[in-house]
Amino acid sequence: MEGVQILLTEFGKRLPMEEMANCFLSIGYDMMHHIAEESMPGETPENISDSIEEYSRIIINQLKEDVWNRA
């Protein structure tokens, strides 16, 4: 989290927040892809992508039900 704060402090004034969010999400999804490739040897690229999409939906649903639902 400290690294994220440093990036926001350094680039927050130079990049629109939407672009900054897109960068963070892109890095996260790319990391998930690399992790999936390593943990699913022999799987097709399509199966890996499908697994990442499914896991992403699970994460979003958990955020909706818990974190984003807090008052």
Side-chain angles (χ1 to χ4, degrees):
M1 293 308 295
E2 189 175 325
V4 171
Q5 185 60 44
I6 290 169
L7 288 173
L8 288 172
T9 302
E10 280 296 313
F11 296 105
K13 295 176 183 166
R14 291 182 258 171
L15 289 174
M17 188 53 68
E18 182 179 290
E19 191 171 335
M20 181 75 75
N22 288 341
C23 289
F24 283 127
L25 287 170
S26 294
I27 291 168
Y29 281 117
D30 190 52
M31 289 175 65
M32 282 176 45
H33 190 271
H34 289 296
I35 291 167
E37 283 180 320
E38 290 296 319
S39 66
M40 302 169 69
E43 284 293 336
T44 65
E46 184 177 326
N47 284 345
I48 291 172
S49 292
D50 290 346
S51 294
I52 293 169
E53 287 181 37
E54 180 181 344
Y55 188 65
S56 297
R57 280 191 295 278
I58 290 168
I59 292 170
I60 291 169
N61 286 335
Q62 288 174 341
L63 287 168
K64 284 180 183 178
E65 293 171 6
D66 185 29
V67 178
W68 296 340
N69 203 22
R70 292 182 188 163

